[in-house]
Amino acid sequence: TLDRSSAASDVYKRQRTYLDAALQRAGGNQSEAARLLGVSRFGLQKKLRRLGVATDGLPSVTGVGAPSRRRPT
């Protein structure tokens, strides 16, 4: 039988390896790594955060979009 946690762990490890290889090939340039992978830079950054790969200095996912224009009360 297939152990689901083991299968999920294998997928996680393969994704990390794949992203690490793309970043290494791109010399650490996330825009280039995203192009190599065929995804947007934002999509790459989101995946990097989820997998815990090279997240230093990346903008927060929740910080996307224009700032709120609420008036002070």
Side-chain angles (χ1 to χ4, degrees), residues 30 45-59:
Q30 292 177 6
Q45 290 175 341
K46 188 174 172 182
K47 186 60 112 172
L48 290 171
R49 277 189 295 280
R50 283 186 186 154
L51 297 175
V53 179
T55 57
D56 292 342
L58 294 180

Side-chain angles (χ1 to χ4, degrees), residues 4-70:
R4 289 182 188 233
S5 64
S6 177
S9 178
D10 288 346
V11 169
Y12 176 85
K13 288 176 187 175
R14 286 179 194 227
Q15 287 178 343
R16 281 188 62 124
T17 300
Y18 191 62
L19 293 175
D20 282 335
L23 283 167
Q24 187 172 19
R25 184 169 179 193
N29 184 310
Q30 292 177 6
S31 294
E32 178 64 14
R35 188 187 66 74
L36 291 170
L37 295 169
V39 298
S40 69
R41 183 176 55 84
F42 176 76
L44 174 65
Q45 290 175 341
K46 188 174 172 182
K47 186 60 112 172
L48 290 171
R49 277 189 295 280
R50 283 186 186 154
L51 297 175
V53 179
T55 57
D56 292 342
L58 294 180
S60 168
V61 174
T62 58
V64 175
S68 173
R69 299 202 183 258
R70 294 183 189 160

